[in-house]
Amino acid sequence: MAETALLTVLKVLMIVICAGWVSLWILKPTQMWTKNWKEAEDRLRPTVFGYYGLNFVVFTFPVIALAIVGSVYLNVQQRKPRRLRRKAFPGASNPVVVNTLLGTLTALEILAASLFILLLVWTFYARISNDFKKLMPVKSLKLKLWQLQYLRVATRFGLLAEVCLALLLLPILRGLALFRLIGIQFEASVRYHIWLGTAMIAFAFLHGASTLFIWGVSHHIQEEIGKWQRTGRIYLAGEISLVTGLVIWITSLPQIRRKKFEIFYYTHHLYLVFLVFFLFHAGDRHFYTVFPGIFLFGIDKLLRLVQSRPETCILSAKIFPSKALELVLPKHPNLKYTPTSVIFVKIPSISKFQWHSFSITSSSSVDDHTMSLLIRCQGSWTSSLYNLINTELKSGFNKMKTIPIAVEGPYGASSTDFLRYDSLLLIAGGVGITPFLSIMQEITSAWQSGNYNQYPTRIQLIFIAKKSQDICLLSSISDLILNQSDEQFHLKLKVFVTQEKQSVTTVKELLNEFSQGETVDFGTDSSSYAIHGLESFLWMAAIAGLSSVVFLAFLICLSHIFIPNQKTKASSKEKSPSWVADIIILSSFVIAIICSTLVALVLRGKKLSKETIQTSEKHVKSWQPSSSEAELGFATEKHEIHFTGRPKFQEILEKFPTETGGSDIGVLVCGPEKMKESVAALLCSHNSQCFKSGPQKKTSFSFHSLNFTL
């Protein structure tokens, strides 16, 4: 009861903080807010707190407070015993719009996007209408009326870019993820980061190009373009920031990101240059409005770096004929994660800087001491890993030299409620099978432990592969596929091989032929540690709170040292350039990060001081066959394999309710975007027909799009 009451209080507090922060953005463009805000700054200027303290507390701290309260909420929720339950609105994840450019959109996503667009329209309208009422000529430029008006429009485009930047980094937080509070995981929220980044660059480009245009037509471009003003907007800094942002955006396009990942990865780190010069261009007051995401991203980044040290090692690797690898890593027994979780790994012997994400194919309910990854070696980094292991394998040694590996994560859903349906239809394309492997192992473990009511009883797995040898990706659940009995849940596998001609073969024959890869055991390093996973939510909340306190303390101290005369607004600006306040913000942030890092390292070191990997000869736990030969024959006969054709999803969706007998069906799709969109479009059509036909249409489909990682 106490935990329930605490969760309720924390939930109300988070709602109040969110409502307050959104209200700030709505009121900020109004004249009433501008007038009262200037008066509040002037009153606090001569105090210890200063105008900068007011800006930090009002504009920056609410989002930090939301992350802190949210972490406490997740910690309490994690400790509270809970049963799987269906969502109050099971159709909330169903697609409403399917678009090639944007992907699948749910009703909630459309509502959120619409409200955000309304905020942008309101901000632009409120600012422009006031600007046109009080047009003031620019002293350094002799502009005509239309030029002056267009210059104000260009300036307000920059303000819209600022609104997008305020939210840009929030979707890519991992440990301090705010989106986790509403059930959206990191892998799914990345696309919001892409949308916001594209909108921000579009507005910033309009802002910069329009300003340059006005300078050009007024013949002042040579005078203005290289200015580094003592006070006000620093034009040169804005130009550097815009060019940097364009480089980041261009190299993030799918055509470059997929084919030249290294270019995308390294140029993306230019965000440091972009943010620093944005600060110099916009000034400290505007920076406080976008600072929450930057602040949390910095703390989140440091927590991830601390968690990934010290390095662990690969225990064993299995090489399959289709150039796929299965890696086994050591895991602490207390580390638990949900199906579909992902981890980020870095192998210094391949690259000292690149991190790559992979889906965990094992279940923490099955394997206490290890976790497994299945990697399809297609890109340069994964191919380097394959060649590294394959070369050592051919060397003839029984045990290879230790391969150090840094691990960050795992990141996954806070619960397995998304699996709570009468029946499951799992649709996987290629390496998109990886999240489903952990799901199948989790469900099997639940059935073996007697939790019959926790998960669905009937599952159909659709696996689409280019070549028949790709069936090796099912290796980790081959025992489940071949040795299934009626005492367990009913699983039916349908394999579609799209680029091979018809062959007289069975699923059993293909599994036996292609799942027998070569396994290599690695030597273990006595200084390596098992993977512990993320620190507790309370620990992360404490670090975020400590960082904000340290930042504010140094912000106040440094401001009083380097901007001593703050009794009046005029005296302060006359004696110190505006970029001095920007340097103070950067310095305070760096100091706060360093202090928090030291604390995190000390706590992490104490936790790992007496612990090293304890390994055994048997690294991976596997299912033991429990079926008779007759049952085995029955299990393999009911699975299907089809050649030279893609599945007809319309037909599958129509037959599935009849085959399973379930009325509440979960459809989980993972694979190429075109495949997701085709399934989503069919479900959109089905849902609209259900709406028109009324309550007599009882079958309910709930759509979940999973993101596989390479």
Side-chain angles (χ1 to χ4, degrees):
M1 291 296 292
E3 288 181 339
T4 303
L6 180 57
L7 286 173
T8 303
V9 171
L10 292 172
K11 193 178 295 184
V12 171
L13 184 56
M14 287 188 292
I15 293 173
V16 170
I17 294 173
C18 284
W21 193 61
V22 171
S23 299
L24 280 178
W25 283 98
I26 296 174
L27 294 173
K28 192 169 177 282
T30 63
Q31 280 299 296
M32 177 190 69
W33 174 270
T34 303
K35 180 181 178 181
N36 292 332
W37 185 253
K38 288 181 178 179
E39 292 176 356
E41 279 191 339
D42 291 338
R43 285 197 300 269
L44 288 176
R45 190 179 301 278
T47 66
V48 174
F49 202 56
Y51 79 91
Y52 35 80
L54 177 65
N55 276 269
F56 176 78
V57 170
V58 174
F59 289 113
T60 301
F61 189 71
V63 183
I64 300 174
L66 179 63
I68 294 172
V69 175
S71 296
V72 176
Y73 175 84
L74 291 173
N75 184 77
V76 177
Q77 187 184 50
Q78 192 178 52
R79 294 183 178 182
K80 181 184 177 183
R82 54 180 306 189
R83 295 180 178 178
L84 290 179
R85 55 185 178 84
R86 296 175 185 174
K87 294 182 178 181
F89 303 98
S93 62
N94 283 343
V96 175
V97 173
V98 180
N99 183 275
T100 304
L101 182 64
L102 299 176
T104 58
L105 299 177
T106 66
L108 292 178
E109 288 174 332
I110 294 174
L111 176 61
S114 301
L115 292 176
F116 180 69
I117 292 172
L118 283 176
L119 174 63
L120 294 178
V121 172
W122 159 248
T123 301
F124 188 78
Y125 168 77
R127 292 293 190 184
I128 283 296
S129 60
N130 181 65
D131 289 343
F132 283 4
K133 291 177 183 177
K134 302 177 181 179
L135 276 176
M136 299 291 292
V138 182
K139 295 180 181 179
S140 60
L141 304 175
K142 294 181 180 180
L143 303 178
K144 298 177 182 178
L145 179 60
W146 74 268
Q147 294 172 345
L148 186 59
Q149 290 176 331
Y150 189 63
L151 184 62
R152 298 310 300 166
V153 170
T155 302
R156 296 316 176 190
F157 277 134
L159 194 62
L160 298 184
E162 182 182 302
V163 177
C164 296
L165 180 56
L167 300 174
L168 180 65
L169 297 176
L170 297 182
I172 57 174
L173 297 176
R174 299 178 194 171
L176 291 168
L178 297 178
F179 280 81
R180 188 186 300 174
L181 297 172
I182 53 177
I184 301 176
Q185 298 309 307
F186 166 76
E187 292 297 320
S189 63
V190 166
R191 68 173 180 165
Y192 308 142
H193 171 76
I194 296 173
W195 296 348
L196 289 167
T198 301
M200 181 194 72
I201 291 299
F203 290 131
F205 179 78
L206 289 172
H207 167 65
S210 300
T211 303
L212 290 174
F213 171 73
I214 295 299
W215 289 348
V217 297
S218 61
H219 307 291
H220 289 89
I221 191 167
Q222 293 181 348
E223 302 171 11
E224 303 294 329
I225 197 170
K227 272 190 177 181
W228 189 281
Q229 297 92 319
R230 179 180 174 84
T231 59
R233 303 283 187 272
I234 299 175
Y235 299 149
L236 181 59
E239 293 151 13
I240 295 173
S241 183
L242 176 58
V243 171
T244 306
L246 285 171
V247 171
I248 294 173
W249 180 77
I250 291 172
T251 55
S252 300
L253 294 174
Q255 296 85 345
I256 297 177
R257 186 180 70 247
R258 292 170 184 168
K259 295 180 180 180
K260 301 289 183 181
F261 179 81
E262 289 78 8
I263 295 176
F264 156 76
Y265 181 82
Y266 289 116
T267 55
H268 228 65
H269 285 77
L270 291 174
Y271 71 85
L272 293 171
V273 177
F274 172 81
L275 293 174
V276 168
F277 282 98
F278 171 81
L279 169 60
F280 286 126
H281 174 63
D284 60 329
R285 283 176 174 82
H286 282 268
F287 195 72
Y288 284 115
T289 59
V290 304
F291 194 42
I294 299 170
F295 190 92
L296 289 177
F297 180 78
I299 301 301
D300 191 71
K301 186 77 171 178
L302 93 84
L303 291 177
R304 290 189 272 133
L305 289 174
V306 171
Q307 186 227 333
S308 64
R309 306 198 186 289
E311 295 173 346
T312 184
C313 60
I314 300 174
L315 294 179
S316 66
K318 189 175 183 180
I319 300 179
F320 295 102
S322 63
K323 205 177 179 182
L325 287 174
E326 183 181 38
L327 302 183
V328 178
L329 308 178
K331 177 184 79 70
H332 193 277
N334 293 335
L335 174 59
K336 302 296 180 183
Y337 50 85
T338 53
T340 73
S341 294
V342 301
I343 63 171
F344 288 76
V345 301
K346 178 183 70 173
I347 300 180
S349 58
I350 298 177
S351 174
K352 294 183 179 180
F353 303 104
Q354 287 189 35
W355 289 86
H356 293 260
S357 59
F358 299 98
S359 300
I360 302 175
T361 57
S362 58
S363 168
S364 58
S365 301
V366 176
D367 300 316
D368 290 330
H369 298 280
T370 62
M371 66 167 58
S372 302
L373 309 176
L374 189 60
I375 302 173
R376 185 70 178 272
C377 301
Q378 295 175 326
S380 60
W381 188 91
T382 52
S383 295
S384 298
L385 175 60
Y386 181 87
N387 293 333
L388 174 66
I389 296 175
N390 197 36
T391 301
E392 293 292 336
L393 177 65
K394 292 179 180 179
S395 65
F397 294 104
N398 292 330
K399 284 199 174 183
M400 291 172 53
K401 186 179 178 181
T402 301
I403 298 182
I405 180 172
V407 176
E408 175 201 318
Y411 304 102
S414 57
S415 72
T416 54
D417 288 350
F418 68 99
L419 299 177
R420 187 64 178 94
Y421 297 99
D422 295 335
S423 305
L424 277 181
L425 176 60
L426 310 180
I427 303 175
V431 77
I433 191 65
T434 50
F436 297 141
L437 301 179
S438 60
I439 289 176
M440 299 306 301
Q441 294 193 39
E442 185 76 17
I443 294 176
T444 301
S445 174
W447 273 86
Q448 290 177 347
S449 61
N451 296 323
Y452 300 102
N453 298 323
Q454 293 287 304
Y455 294 103
T457 58
R458 293 185 175 271
I459 301 174
Q460 188 171 119
L461 175 59
I462 310 295
F463 179 45
I464 307 159
K466 293 180 180 180
K467 304 290 184 180
S468 57
Q469 64 180 5
D470 291 340
I471 202 170
C472 70
L473 298 176
L474 298 172
S475 173
S476 61
I477 59 169
S478 59
D479 285 338
L480 171 61
I481 295 171
L482 300 177
N483 302 320
Q484 182 188 167
S485 68
D486 288 337
E487 296 176 358
Q488 297 181 340
F489 61 91
H490 180 85
L491 169 65
K492 184 171 184 178
L493 171 66
K494 293 183 179 181
V495 180
F496 292 84
V497 181
T498 60
Q499 295 183 3
E500 288 185 3
K501 294 182 179 180
Q502 183 70 38
S503 174
V504 181
T505 187
T506 64
V507 171
K508 177 184 177 182
E509 291 173 347
L510 287 179
L511 282 172
N512 289 335
E513 180 180 357
F514 295 114
S515 296
Q516 304 302 318
E518 297 180 274
T519 302
V520 184
D521 285 329
F522 294 85
T524 55
D525 189 345
S526 60
S527 62
S528 298
Y529 295 83
I531 300 170
H532 281 74
L534 301 172
E535 299 293 347
S536 69
F537 290 114
L538 283 180
W539 191 89
M540 290 189 285
I543 291 293
L546 172 66
S547 300
S548 59
V549 171
V550 172
F551 172 82
L552 184 58
F554 275 93
L555 179 67
I556 293 173
C557 293
L558 293 176
S559 296
H560 279 271
I561 293 172
F562 294 101
I563 312 178
N565 299 319
Q566 301 188 48
K567 292 184 180 180
T568 65
K569 183 177 180 180
S571 63
S572 175
K573 285 200 170 183
E574 286 173 5
K575 295 204 172 184
S576 60
S578 58
W579 51 262
V580 172
D582 304 336
I583 294 293
I584 289 173
I585 289 178
L586 289 176
S587 302
S588 302
F589 181 54
V590 170
I591 293 171
I593 289 291
I594 291 174
C595 292
S596 300
T597 302
L598 292 175
V599 173
L601 285 172
V602 170
L603 294 176
R604 184 76 172 180
K606 288 184 177 180
K607 183 176 181 180
L608 302 178
S609 58
K610 297 182 180 180
E611 185 173 342
T612 56
I613 295 177
Q614 300 295 325
T615 60
S616 62
E617 291 298 322
K618 185 70 173 177
H619 293 312
V620 186
K621 186 185 295 183
S622 61
W623 290 294
Q624 297 299 322
S626 58
S627 305
S628 66
E629 290 297 324
E631 290 172 332
L632 176 59
F634 173 77
T636 55
E637 284 176 5
K638 68 182 178 182
H639 301 307
E640 300 176 9
I641 183 165
H642 306 269
F643 289 86
T644 62
R646 298 182 182 277
K648 298 178 180 178
F649 294 121
Q650 177 73 41
E651 185 178 318
I652 291 173
L653 290 173
E654 289 176 353
K655 289 183 178 180
F656 188 74
T658 305
E659 293 176 353
T660 61
S663 59
D664 186 16
I665 300 170
V667 181
L668 280 64
V669 186
C670 186
E673 290 301 321
K674 288 185 178 180
M675 186 188 76
K676 291 182 181 179
E677 291 169 8
S678 61
V679 176
L682 289 172
L683 288 179
C684 278
S685 175
H686 172 83
N687 292 336
S688 62
Q689 290 177 6
C690 287
F691 180 79
K692 293 177 182 178
S693 60
Q696 67 270 19
K697 193 84 173 180
K698 295 183 179 180
T699 303
S700 171
F701 287 99
S702 295
F703 179 82
H704 297 271
S705 176
L706 303 182
N707 295 281
F708 69 94
T709 52
L710 296 173

